[in-house]
Amino acid sequence: MARDDDRPEDLYTGPIDLAGLSAAEESDLEMPEISYDEQRYPARPRRLRPRDNLRGSSVRRIRTDPRTANGTNPSYIEWLVRQSMLKDADVLARQLSGQPTMWRNAYARPDARRAIATSDVWFTAYPISLITRPGQSFLAALGDDELWSTFERIGITAIHTGPVKRAGGIAGWGETPSVDGHFDRISTAIDSAFGTEDDFRDLCDVADSHGGSIIDDIVPGHTGKGADFRLAEMGFKDYPGIYHMVAIPPEDWHLLPEVPEGYDSVNLDPATEHELAEHGYIIGALQRVIFYTPGVKETNWSATAPVVGPDGITRRWVYLHYFKQGQPSINWLDPTFAGMRLVIGDALHSLGELGTSALRLDANGFLGVEKSTEGLPAWSEGHPLSHAANHIIAGMVRKVGGFTFQELNLTIEDIRDTGAVGADLSYDFIGRPGYHHALATGQTEFLRLALTTSLELGVAPVQLVHGLQNHDELTYELVHWATRHGDDVYEFRGEEISGGEIAEVIRAELTEALVDAGDYNRVFTQNGIACTTTSLIAATRGIPRLDDITEADVPAIREAHLLLCAYNAWQPGVFALSGWDLVGMLTLPADEVADLISAGDTRWIERGAHDLLDVDPDATRSTSGMPRGRALYGPLPAQLEDPESFASRLSAILDLRREHGIATASQVDIPEVAHAGMLVSVHRLDDGQADTDAALQVTVLNFSADPVEGTVRSAHLTPQSSVVDAATGETIGRVDDLQSFSVSLPGYGAMFLLLEAPEAE
C-alpha cells in the first residue's frame, strides 16, 4: 500500500553505529574453482575475478540530510533494517533456539495422510476479492463464527488464507503496491489492509473451535522489492546474500541498459543477457522465461539503476527473477545463507507467532540454478538444490508440528522427487489440465493418460491437493509432456505421437473451446487461460457472451460444476475450492479491470469480488477495490436453504467422501472405458495400509453433456460382488465373471459406488 507521507512518524534521526558495515577482512585465501556435474553439465573452469575483488573496503562516514532516502543516511539504513525480514528472522531464531518444543515431532519424511487427517477439504481464500461487512477486515471476516458454521454444514475443514503479509516494495520512505497479488512479500507483518496479527490469531482460535485449521503462505523463491532488497542494492552486510544478484563493475556499465526515469530497474533483452554471460557475470538464459511478454519480460534478468551504499560506493546490479521484475529471486546457496534464514524465519513466524497449522510453498521448484555446458540454457528446473532446500523448509515445519504443500508445476518426476523429502502434499498440476480438457471436449483420453502415467511414475493421488479454481490461471503449460518427455512416444487417439505433440494438441483444443468460443475468457501469457470454473463451463456449452446466460442456463452449468467437484473430491488427497466456486462467479468484463490487465496479466478478470454470506448486498467492490462479479449461485445462506443448490449438493458429495474415508484411500486402477466421455477410478479403502482385503470403491463420471451407458471393467473387481450406489443405498448391479458391470449416467453424471464382496461358501 502506498503511503501518503514521505517518511514514518517515528523516524530515528540520531547517530547510528556503522561498525560491521564493511565486507570481509582482507584475506589471501584462494577462491575455489567451480565444479559441475561432469556427465550432464561439463566443467568449464574460469577465474572471473582477481583475488583483490574478494577483499572488503573500508566504510566512509558521510554527513547527509537526515531526510535523504539513500545509503548515505544512517537513519534511513536503520529504518530499513527495522522493517527487514532478515532482521525479524534472526530475532525469532534466537527465541526458538534450544527450546524443547523443537524436538517433539518427527520431521524427516513427508506424511501426506497425517496432513490430510488435519484437514482434507480446503477453502482457498483470496484476500482482495472477499466482500466483508462494512468496517470489517478480511481476517476478521474469515474468523466470523457464522462463516465457520456455514463451512461446517458444507464440509469445509480448513481455510487457506492466501498471502496477507505486507507485499510490494519500498521507494524512498514510502511503500509501493504489490505487483503480483501479494506474492511479492516484503515483511513478516500483516498488511493492515487485511487486518492485524490479533485478527489472525482470533481466526486460528475460531477455526479450532469448529474443528478446523488455518493454512498460510511462504514464498521460498523470491521477495518483493522491500527493505531487504533495498539494503542488498546498497551492499549492506549480509543482505546481498539473500538474492541471486551480481554487482557489475563501473567499467562494464556500458554493457547494461539505461534505466528509464521513474524506474529502478529494467529487464535485459536476450542479446544483453548473452553478452553478460559471455563476460562471466551471470549464468545466462534459463530453461524457460515464465510470464514471457515481448518488450516487458524477455529474459529472467534485470539491471538496477545506480545505487549508493553506506560505504559511499555506487553500484549497479544484475539480478535474477523467475517471475516479475519486482520479485527478485532468493539465493539458497550463498555463503551467508541469508536467503535461507529469511525464509525459515518467515515460516516460523506464521506457525509459532500466528498459530497456523500448515504452509503453502509458492513456486518452490526454482530454488537452484547452475551454469550448463556451452550453448545450452542454465539448469534451473528440477535442480538438486531445490530438493535440498525444500527438505529443509518442510523438515523445519514438521519439526514444529505443521505440514506443507507445494505449488510445483514441473514434471511428474520432479513432483515425485521433491515430495519424497520435502512437502507433505503437492498441488495437482497432473490431472487439473486433464479434467478441464475432458469437460471441454467430452473425451477423457488425455485425462486417463495423465492419471495412469502419474501412478506409473510413483505419484499417487493421496499426495495431491485436487483443486477447482484458485487465484491463478487454468494452466496448460503441460510441462511434463512438453519438456522432459517431449520426444517420448505415446499412444493417443489411435496413433503414436510424441509428448510434445500431445501438449500442442491439448493447448490448441483448450484455447479453441474456452477462448475462441466466447469473449470472456482470455489467454494468460504462455501459461494458460484466465477464467473461472463457471465461465469455463459456459464456454464448453457454446455460450458466446456472459450476458447471454439466463436462469435457464444455470442448472446445466451447476451440474457440470458438481461433476468437477465429484472428480476432485472422490479420489484420495485433499479437495480444495474457492469463493468463486461456491457462489458460481463469472469473469469480470475486461474494461472493469483495464488498468490491472494493461501489462498483460489477464488473470485479474477471474478475481471478481464476492460476498459469501450476503453481508453487504449493496457493495459494488471489495474493500481492496476489486469490482463485484456476477454470481450464478448466490450467497451461501440462501443456497443452504435450497436442497438443489450448488452448496447443498456439494455438501452431499463431501458427506460421501468423509463417510467412506476416500481421502486417505489407495488408488489402484484407472481402467479403460466403454464410452469416450466416461472416467472410472478404483480405490481400496485401506487408509494406506495396503490391505488387500479392504473394501473397494469405484467412482464413475460422465464428462459429456449427453447420457451414457457403459461397462466398468477392472482386474481388481471380485466376481459376484454387489455394486451399491452409496448415495441411495440401492444395489444397481453385480460384478460378472469378466470382472465387469454396467452403468447408466445422465449428462455430467457422477456415481460413488461401493463393492460388497460375496459371502464365503
Side-chain angles (χ1 to χ4, degrees):
M1 301 288 291
R3 295 178 61 101
D4 294 327
D5 54 342
D6 61 355
R7 67 187 181 105
E9 293 180 356
D10 61 343
L11 173 63
Y12 173 74
T13 58
I16 181 172
D17 181 8
L18 292 179
L21 298 185
S22 63
E25 296 293 329
E26 292 190 6
S27 170
D28 290 330
L29 291 176
E30 292 287 340
M31 185 177 185
E33 301 287 356
I34 301 172
S35 62
Y36 302 98
D37 184 321
E38 292 293 339
Q39 182 176 359
R40 295 177 59 190
Y41 299 89
R44 297 192 298 124
R46 182 184 301 166
R47 193 173 300 283
L48 303 179
R49 302 280 194 280
R51 187 170 59 207
D52 286 348
N53 282 6
L54 294 176
R55 298 177 179 178
S57 58
S58 60
V59 175
R60 287 182 262 170
R61 298 177 183 270
I62 302 172
R63 294 184 179 277
T64 186
D65 186 326
R67 295 178 62 89
T68 302
N70 64 33
T72 67
N73 183 0
S75 299
Y76 184 61
I77 298 293
E78 184 181 12
W79 179 70
L80 290 174
V81 169
R82 290 205 310 267
Q83 298 186 77
S84 71
M85 292 188 286
L86 183 59
K87 177 65 174 178
D88 286 351
D90 289 344
V91 172
L92 184 61
R94 287 192 292 271
Q95 292 173 349
L96 294 175
S97 181
Q99 298 300 311
T101 53
M102 298 297 295
W103 300 101
R104 291 174 181 168
N105 299 290
Y107 63 89
R109 296 182 177 87
D111 190 341
R113 287 182 171 84
R114 183 190 71 85
I116 292 169
T118 302
S119 56
D120 70 312
V121 178
W122 300 352
F123 171 77
T124 56
Y126 194 61
I128 65 175
S129 296
L130 182 67
I131 293 175
T132 65
R133 291 184 170 88
Q136 185 183 42
S137 72
F138 165 76
L139 290 172
L142 288 189
D144 191 313
D145 194 73
E146 181 186 355
L147 179 65
W148 275 96
S149 296
T150 302
F151 280 175
E152 268 195 291
R153 290 181 62 186
I154 295 172
I156 295 169
T157 57
I159 289 180
H160 173 213
T161 62
V164 295
K165 294 181 179 179
R166 285 170 49 208
I170 287 177
W173 295 102
E175 294 186 12
T176 57
S178 170
V179 299
D180 189 26
H182 272 69
F183 285 99
D184 45 347
R185 181 167 297 172
I186 64 171
S187 174
T188 57
I190 299 295
D191 191 318
S192 60
F194 306 132
T196 65
E197 286 201 4
D198 286 340
D199 288 337
F200 202 116
R201 295 187 184 96
D202 290 343
L203 164 61
C204 293
D205 291 341
V206 172
D208 185 65
S209 71
H210 287 269
S213 57
I214 301 301
I215 302 167
D216 193 11
D217 288 81
I218 62 167
V219 188
H222 57 258
T223 69
K225 287 185 174 180
D228 296 273
F229 186 72
R230 296 309 177 202
L231 290 165
E233 287 181 311
M234 297 175 188
F236 181 73
K237 289 191 175 181
D238 289 352
Y239 286 86
I242 296 173
Y243 300 102
H244 192 127
M245 59 195 302
V246 177
I248 307 299
E251 60 266 26
D252 280 338
W253 284 6
H254 67 278
L255 300 175
L256 304 178
E258 293 294 324
V259 178
E261 187 71 27
Y263 292 82
D264 62 2
S265 61
V266 63
N267 190 241
L268 303 186
D269 60 33
T272 304
E273 174 189 61
H274 177 74
E275 189 169 14
L276 287 170
E278 286 296 301
H279 279 72
Y281 289 123
I282 62 175
I283 62 176
L286 306 189
Q287 289 171 260
R288 58 178 169 147
V289 181
I290 300 173
F291 295 174
Y292 175 85
T293 305
V296 177
K297 188 191 177 191
E298 298 182 339
T299 71
N300 295 297
W301 301 91
S302 286
T304 71
V307 180
V308 63
D311 52 8
I313 296 176
T314 299
R315 300 172 175 86
R316 290 196 71 185
W317 306 79
V318 172
Y319 68 93
L320 176 68
H321 54 94
Y322 281 96
F323 301 101
K324 297 183 179 181
Q325 199 170 151
Q327 296 168 296
S329 293
I330 291 174
N331 181 358
W332 273 83
L333 203 56
D334 182 82
T336 65
F337 292 97
M340 179 188 298
R341 286 153 49 202
L342 181 151
V343 172
I344 295 299
D346 190 22
L348 292 176
H349 175 265
S350 290
L351 294 159
E353 295 289 313
L354 298 181
T356 59
S357 300
L359 296 172
R360 170 183 178 269
L361 308 182
D362 178 69
N364 65 317
F366 310 104
L367 307 185
V369 291
E370 181 174 328
K371 193 173 184 63
S372 185
T373 191
E374 191 72 43
L376 293 178
W379 186 10
S380 57
E381 298 183 8
H383 194 282
L385 179 57
S386 286
H387 299 169
N390 278 280
H391 195 178
I392 291 171
I393 298 168
M396 180 62 76
V397 173
R398 285 190 288 269
K399 200 173 186 185
V400 296
F403 69 88
T404 57
F405 79 102
Q406 62 184 357
E407 185 192 41
L408 191 68
N409 186 20
L410 296 177
T411 68
I412 296 174
E413 291 94 335
D414 288 323
I415 294 173
R416 176 196 66 202
D417 296 344
T418 304
V421 295
D424 299 275
L425 299 161
S426 298
Y427 196 77
D428 184 3
F429 285 110
I430 300 168
R432 191 167 186 249
Y435 78 72
H436 288 136
H437 180 263
L439 190 69
T441 62
Q443 300 178 6
T444 64
E445 184 176 3
F446 174 65
L447 175 57
R448 286 184 280 113
L449 175 62
L451 296 180
T452 54
T453 302
S454 183
L455 286 176
E456 290 168 0
L457 293 178
V459 177
V462 74
Q463 299 170 261
L464 303 176
V465 177
H466 311 287
L468 292 176
Q469 183 190 347
N470 61 20
H471 67 281
D472 272 330
E473 76 284 357
L474 182 172
T475 180
Y476 62 12
E477 294 168 282
L478 302 169
V479 177
H480 179 84
W481 314 97
T483 58
R484 183 169 182 169
H485 298 278
D487 295 327
D488 293 354
V489 176
Y490 298 89
E491 183 76 22
F492 186 67
R493 293 180 176 171
E495 59 180 343
E496 292 187 341
I497 65 173
S498 69
E501 290 172 316
I502 289 176
E504 290 180 7
V505 168
I506 302 305
R507 282 195 291 262
E509 291 181 351
L510 281 171
T511 302
E512 180 181 7
L514 305 182
V515 179
D516 299 343
D519 66 352
Y520 44 87
N521 299 325
R522 294 198 172 194
V523 170
F524 171 62
T525 65
Q526 296 179 319
N527 289 47
I529 297 170
C531 60
T532 67
T533 306
T534 45
S535 76
L536 176 152
I537 296 168
T540 67
R541 295 194 57 76
I543 299 174
R545 297 183 304 275
L546 294 184
D547 288 343
D548 294 336
I549 297 177
T550 67
E551 286 300 316
D553 296 308
V554 174
I557 292 174
R558 183 178 61 222
E559 293 301 317
H561 204 158
L562 289 165
L563 166 73
L564 300 186
C565 291
Y567 163 77
N568 285 286
W570 289 350
Q571 61 178 311
V574 167
F575 170 51
L577 75 168
S578 65
W580 299 300
D581 287 305
L582 288 172
V583 300
M585 184 67 66
L586 299 173
T587 52
L588 294 167
D591 58 1
E592 292 191 17
V593 286
D595 57 330
L596 294 172
I597 67 175
S598 60
D601 193 344
T602 56
R603 294 175 297 176
W604 290 105
I605 67 172
E606 68 187 53
R607 298 169 176 169
H610 49 276
D611 188 347
L612 295 178
L613 297 181
D614 202 25
V615 295
D616 194 358
D618 296 327
T620 59
R621 292 178 177 270
S622 69
T623 304
S624 298
M626 282 302 296
R628 186 175 192 141
R630 180 183 172 190
L632 297 185
Y633 309 149
L636 296 177
Q639 285 195 58
L640 291 175
E641 295 301 315
D642 177 6
E644 294 302 312
S645 71
F646 175 82
S648 292
R649 293 177 60 193
L650 170 64
S651 178
I653 289 172
L654 298 181
D655 284 345
L656 290 175
R657 168 186 170 87
R658 191 153 292 126
E659 179 182 353
H660 299 286
I662 192 69
T664 54
S666 300
Q667 190 170 89
V668 295
D669 196 15
I670 303 291
E672 296 296 316
V673 292
H675 186 281
M678 285 178 59
L679 178 75
V680 176
S681 53
V682 182
H683 306 107
R684 193 169 55 229
L685 304 178
D686 60 0
D687 199 29
Q689 300 302 310
D691 180 3
T692 56
D693 293 328
L696 289 180
Q697 183 273 338
V698 179
T699 296
V700 186
L701 308 171
N702 175 17
F703 279 84
S704 73
D706 300 318
V708 300
E709 293 187 3
T711 300
V712 174
R713 176 173 296 164
S714 171
H716 293 270
L717 305 184
T718 302
Q720 305 309 311
S721 295
S722 299
V723 182
V724 179
D725 184 338
T728 64
E730 176 186 357
T731 299
I732 65 166
R734 192 174 297 276
V735 179
D736 61 27
D737 291 341
L738 296 178
Q739 296 175 290
S740 65
F741 61 89
S742 299
V743 293
S744 298
L745 292 95
Y748 305 131
M751 301 184 75
F752 189 104
L753 305 176
L754 299 173
L755 271 65
E756 297 180 352
E759 295 183 7
E761 292 289 341

